[in-house]
Amino acid sequence: MILYDKQNRAFVLGGKNYSYIMHVNDCGFLQNLHYGSKTEIGDLGYLISHIGSKYAPVKSDLNMDCLFDVMPSECGSYGRGDFREPTVVIERADGASMSRLRYVSHKITNGVYNIPGLPHARSGGQTLEITLKDDFSPVEVVLKYTVWDEYDVLSRATEIRNAGKESVKLNKAFSFCAELPEADYKMLRLHGSWAMERMPEWNSVAHGVARIQSLRGASSHQMNPLTVLFDGEPSERTGECYGFMLVYSGSFAITAEKTYFGYTRVQGGINDIGFRWELGGGESFYTPQALLCYSEQGMGELSRAYSDFLRERIIDPTFVKKRRPIVINNWEATYFDFDTEKLKSIIDAAAPLGIDTFVLDDGWFGKRDGDTSGLGDWFVNEKKLKGGLKATAEHCGKRGLKLGLWFEPEMISEDSDLYRAHPDWAAGKLGQEPVRSRNQLVLDFTRKDVVDYIFGVMSDVIKNNGISYVKWDMNRPMTEFYSNTLSADRQGEFAHRYILGVYSLAERLTAAFPDLFMEGCAGGGGRFDAGMLYYFPQFWTSDDTDAFQRALIQWGTSVGYPVSAMSCHVSVCPNHQTGRTTPLSTRGNIASLGAFGYELDLTKLSDEEKRDIKRQILDYKRIDALVLNGDLYRLIDPFGDKWFAEMIVSKDKTEAYVVGERLRGVPNDITRRIKLDGLDPDRNYTVEESGVTASGKSLMRIGLVLPSLADYESFAWHLKAVK
């Protein structure tokens, strides 16, 4: 719902459980009045008189300093008395960057706004566009808001228009500015590194600026483009909190600035460090979309709101509700050391277990027997694979499996035919020694000819070999922010143009192959964000498949992302990343809390292990609809407890699935209870494994006694409502 009150020049935006209210004050500035719980329309006058006038300059003192930084603004200007961080910084031809943005017009339309070249919410909603004009330049800033009555998510983005004839430079172009009322906020960071992504960390928002960011050319293992501000101590079930998520996969920044008068300004978008964009006369620049989310019922409700929105408005509707392939990936089984006969043996072992897709990982192309060569040469290595990929695909077909294939389309090896033919296609200045990572360089995806070439060779392989599944990897960060085809004054555009090239390739592939299932990967979970989920229904959550570490990783990931988007595999023990040994049953239970599959050598399994895996797959098929559609409830936090437990409940509350793992045993905890969540309090439920029947109310308030388990052992419970 979007309402415009003409008399007060006020905008009232509302979703499922929140209100977002702004007005144009006497000086012409777009001022925030409220973001939070539902507010009555009749309170507009009170908000304007009590909140609006208290935190705004007066018209007669428009050129007095120290007045603007007390006003909660919808778009922060630079200079002219506002000493907080700006939302946009526009450098004119004369070198000046001071700005003062004031209301010009607005329009309200049905449907979501489009952002050319960038992923964004797909449909529905109602959109408000408010145009602000800079007092000192011909630049207009158009603030875009879309609300949906059925969600607690508000989308934001910014269009910056140069209505003049002379070019200007954008030195900062954030997607949103949100002003939160006075509170002692705790700020969430989902930090990490390779093999331990999205570890939750809470810190108090102190006076000054707190900043999370990536400068790696990707959203990164180290910091996810999502933060949450919680009023007080974070809780799963109670409390007021605000989420801020970018639908963006490149270098980003999100800041929270607590000002001296108490308000906290939260902003985010394309990282402004190194960013500089030339905006010619008549041109527009579009920022990535941001998804703001409000909850007054704690972190759990915020996470479920984000999950619903991503599943229903971001992820490809072709696949989001469709049963996912159960794959066997050969990477940890063979690494680079395989041939056609070895692959056939894995396929033969997979067929009777219920696995439906074989994914051939790195090493099938070019001269690729290690990580020092071959990237970019996307043609089949027929010395290694006798009969090419077709022989493998035909064998899959005979055994009832489909064939999937690994690509790393953004990368190039110096020892490759492609690099020898086109050294200028690598990002970086020719003649300058590049920084290497994993013995590879990054292709210059700012160039259309490079993207066109990669699209062509990938399309040929996919089309000619009956590929039904693609795993798109990206194994190193950006270090050379330079294109040999961009002029010197436009090199600051490189990082954003690069990710636009990535999106362009993904868009073209999904359009050309609408039935092709694509899984994202970035050295594991190094680009797990809403932007990539627009193209990839699931993302390889982490290269770390250890059942203990994965409980932590999947918990942190679930703060903002649905379990159906998490690609989760069972691997061998001792685990290849941690060396830890955990029971096969635990590895299966933890992996069942996501898109399920395997990453091991099936030919080396015992008969008992094969029976267990066959049973795991049958069990997963019983609950995969819950994973795709259900609501997640986080029950026991593994970061602060000696147990881990999560629960998925169907939307109609007729069934539920609970998984728990004992992480570290201590004496005398044998009578500990776990309180369930999300059930219908007025229904009775039966726990299939124990036969216990109780009301939803009792299961949530009294709970169930946890089983007696050793370290890293786990349990899985299936609950059904009694008819």
Side-chain angles (χ1 to χ4, degrees):
M1 175 196 72
I2 298 174
L3 297 176
Y4 177 61
D5 184 307
K6 187 174 182 180
Q7 180 179 351
N8 291 302
R9 294 207 294 178
F11 303 92
V12 181
L13 287 64
K16 186 177 179 182
N17 296 298
Y18 75 90
S19 293
Y20 194 103
I21 302 175
M22 308 166 280
H23 89 125
V24 180
N25 64 28
D26 290 342
C27 299
F29 299 108
L30 185 62
Q31 182 176 359
N32 183 276
L33 298 176
H34 171 76
Y35 179 30
S37 60
K38 281 279 191 181
T39 301
E40 300 297 325
I41 301 300
D43 285 336
L44 259 181
Y46 150 74
L47 289 171
I48 292 170
S49 62
H50 185 69
I51 304 296
S53 61
K54 182 178 179 182
Y55 297 108
V58 295
K59 198 168 186 179
S60 60
D61 291 330
L62 194 57
N63 291 315
M64 294 289 287
D65 67 356
C66 303
L67 294 172
F68 290 95
D69 62 346
V70 299
M71 181 180 69
S73 173
E74 286 297 299
C75 185
S77 299
Y78 176 62
R80 303 298 298 187
D82 190 343
F83 302 106
R84 298 165 295 180
E85 290 209 335
T87 310
V88 297
V89 177
I90 306 151
E91 181 183 325
R92 306 190 297 269
D94 61 5
S97 297
M98 296 79 71
S99 60
R100 191 163 61 193
L101 300 167
R102 294 202 272 179
Y103 170 85
V104 173
S105 63
H106 74 274
K107 66 177 180 179
I108 299 172
T109 56
N110 290 324
V112 70
Y113 53 85
N114 179 51
I115 310 177
L118 287 164
H120 57 275
R122 292 178 185 272
S123 61
Q126 193 176 24
T127 293
L128 168 66
E129 295 188 5
I130 301 176
T131 300
L132 310 178
K133 169 86 169 52
D134 183 16
D135 282 351
F136 311 109
S137 76
V139 172
E140 296 174 341
V141 176
V142 184
L143 307 180
K144 300 171 185 282
Y145 308 75
T146 298
V147 301
W148 292 261
D149 292 342
E150 65 271 35
Y151 301 113
D152 282 324
V153 171
L154 163 70
S155 81
R156 297 281 307 271
T158 302
E159 177 188 354
I160 304 168
R161 300 172 181 160
N162 182 359
K165 295 180 180 179
E166 286 188 309
S167 293
V168 298
K169 298 285 187 183
L170 301 181
N171 294 327
K172 185 176 185 179
F174 271 6
S175 299
F176 72 96
C177 174
E179 308 274 18
L180 304 185
E182 300 95 329
D184 291 325
Y185 292 110
K186 295 287 194 302
M187 182 178 180
L188 175 70
R189 290 167 167 82
L190 292 178
H191 73 95
S193 65
W194 174 80
M196 53 179 295
E197 297 88 343
R198 290 170 298 287
M199 301 287 105
E201 179 181 79
W202 291 94
N203 293 285
S204 294
V205 177
H207 286 88
V209 178
R211 182 180 177 103
I212 66 173
Q213 67 174 3
S214 168
L215 284 166
R216 297 168 182 266
S219 48
S220 83
H221 301 271
Q222 285 69 24
M223 196 67 69
N224 195 261
L226 163 67
T227 190
V228 178
L229 268 66
F230 203 103
D231 184 356
E233 288 300 318
S235 166
E236 280 293 310
R237 295 175 175 85
T238 61
E240 192 172 39
C241 52
Y242 302 83
F244 304 91
M245 174 189 290
L246 294 172
V247 187
Y248 191 59
S249 313
S251 296
F252 74 92
I254 301 175
T255 63
E257 181 175 8
K258 185 174 182 179
T259 61
Y260 68 88
F261 58 88
Y263 268 78
T264 296
R265 170 177 283 188
V266 186
Q267 304 189 91
I270 300 166
N271 200 316
D272 50 314
I273 297 175
F275 172 82
R276 186 175 171 85
W277 192 279
E278 182 174 334
L279 192 63
E283 293 181 348
S284 284
F285 180 85
Y286 297 88
T287 69
Q289 191 174 70
L291 304 177
L292 282 59
C293 187
Y294 172 77
S295 167
E296 55 183 347
Q297 297 180 43
M299 287 291 296
E301 193 64 27
L302 181 134
S303 297
R304 289 184 287 276
Y306 266 136
S307 290
D308 283 345
F309 188 85
L310 292 176
R311 286 184 297 201
E312 295 167 20
R313 292 289 180 258
I314 295 291
I315 298 173
D316 188 344
T318 303
F319 299 106
V320 68
K321 303 287 186 177
K322 185 180 290 187
R323 172 171 275 178
R324 302 295 172 79
I326 295 178
V327 310
I328 175 67
N329 184 294
N330 73 298
W331 179 242
E332 289 192 7
T334 66
Y335 293 102
F336 293 105
D337 185 18
F338 61 83
D339 57 21
T340 301
E341 293 309 309
K342 175 61 178 176
L343 299 182
K344 285 182 177 180
S345 69
I346 295 174
I347 294 164
D348 289 341
L353 301 179
I355 292 169
D356 52 47
T357 301
F358 171 70
V359 177
L360 176 54
D361 213 282
D362 194 356
W364 58 267
F365 54 91
K367 187 183 76 174
R368 185 73 168 172
D369 295 313
D371 66 5
T372 61
S373 63
L375 284 174
D377 294 342
W378 299 112
F379 52 86
V380 181
N381 182 342
E382 299 204 12
K383 291 182 179 179
K384 180 184 285 191
L385 295 178
K386 303 298 183 185
L389 284 174
K390 286 185 178 179
T392 305
E394 288 171 1
H395 194 73
C396 280
K398 291 176 183 177
R399 304 296 283 148
L401 276 72
K402 295 181 179 180
L403 178 61
L405 202 58
W406 179 95
F407 287 90
E408 194 170 5
E410 300 161 66
M411 302 297 157
I412 188 170
S413 300
E414 289 167 281
D415 183 5
S416 68
D417 292 347
L418 184 64
Y419 185 81
R420 284 183 281 273
H422 299 284
D424 60 312
W425 281 15
K429 193 171 183 179
L430 284 173
Q432 182 172 299
E433 184 78 6
V435 173
R436 298 171 182 84
S437 180
R438 203 173 180 257
N439 301 300
Q440 62 196 51
L441 305 179
V442 180
L443 279 171
D444 183 357
F445 264 43
T446 71
R447 296 177 56 159
K448 187 176 182 301
D449 55 344
V450 173
V451 175
D452 287 346
Y453 174 81
I454 296 297
F455 172 74
V457 292
M458 286 183 70
S459 296
D460 287 345
V461 173
I462 293 166
K463 182 170 49 181
N464 294 333
N465 296 283
I467 304 301
S468 68
Y469 186 113
V470 162
K471 179 181 177 182
W472 176 328
D473 209 343
M474 191 269 309
N475 273 306
R476 62 152 293 173
M478 185 83 65
T479 55
E480 315 304 307
F481 294 87
Y482 190 91
S483 172
N484 291 290
T485 60
L486 289 174
S487 60
D489 60 345
R490 303 200 78 145
Q491 294 296 332
E493 301 175 12
F494 180 89
H496 183 57
R497 287 190 181 277
Y498 176 88
I499 206 66
L500 291 177
V502 171
Y503 291 148
S504 171
L505 178 59
E507 184 75 39
R508 292 171 67 179
L509 285 170
T510 54
F513 302 97
D515 297 323
L516 177 70
F517 188 92
M518 291 208 294
E519 176 188 60
C521 180
R527 204 161 57 185
F528 198 122
D529 56 67
M532 298 316 294
L533 289 179
Y534 184 87
Y535 306 102
F536 306 141
Q538 64 191 51
F539 210 95
W540 185 226
T541 314
S542 176
D543 277 347
D544 194 334
T545 51
D546 169 55
F548 166 73
Q549 192 68 25
R550 260 309 183 96
L552 307 180
I553 292 168
Q554 291 172 210
W555 178 283
T557 305
S558 73
V559 168
Y561 305 100
V563 292
S564 61
M566 301 182 209
S567 192
C568 304
H569 287 183
V570 177
S571 61
V572 74
C573 279
N575 179 266
H576 286 201
Q577 291 77 46
T578 66
R580 186 180 287 112
T581 295
T582 57
L584 178 59
S585 59
T586 299
R587 285 173 266 157
N589 286 337
I590 296 301
S592 72
L593 295 169
F596 192 70
Y598 291 86
E599 188 115 0
L600 43 75
D601 191 344
L602 297 174
T603 67
K604 295 180 179 179
L605 298 177
S606 67
D607 289 342
E608 181 182 1
E609 288 172 324
K610 290 177 182 178
R611 286 193 295 270
D612 288 343
I613 285 177
K614 191 172 184 178
R615 186 166 53 249
Q616 284 179 350
I617 292 171
L618 289 173
D619 286 344
Y620 183 73
K621 288 180 178 178
R622 291 178 59 201
I623 58 97
D624 64 351
L626 276 175
V627 171
L628 289 172
N629 305 299
D631 290 325
L632 179 73
Y633 293 83
R634 293 182 291 265
L635 302 181
I636 305 179
D637 181 353
F639 292 93
D641 207 299
K642 297 172 180 63
W643 284 80
F644 158 88
E646 290 183 346
M647 176 178 183
I648 308 175
V649 183
S650 64
K651 289 289 186 183
D652 63 5
K653 300 189 182 298
T654 60
E655 60 177 319
Y657 178 63
V658 185
V659 168
E661 179 184 359
R662 190 181 189 186
L663 307 179
R664 297 177 302 281
V666 296
N668 305 316
D669 69 346
I670 59 173
T671 59
R672 179 167 175 183
R673 287 180 290 178
I674 179 174
K675 294 180 180 180
L676 306 188
D677 205 348
L679 301 174
D680 183 340
D682 299 323
R683 275 180 165 156
N684 288 333
Y685 293 85
T686 296
V687 183
E688 291 186 0
E689 285 71 19
S690 64
V692 169
T693 298
S695 68
K697 181 178 181 180
S698 291
L699 291 169
M700 292 188 290
R701 291 190 177 181
I702 299 171
L704 295 167
V705 176
L706 287 167
S708 179
L709 301 174
D711 285 3
Y712 309 130
E713 287 186 337
S714 65
F715 67 87
W717 295 335
H718 299 78
L719 280 72
K720 295 283 188 180
V722 178
K723 294 182 180 179

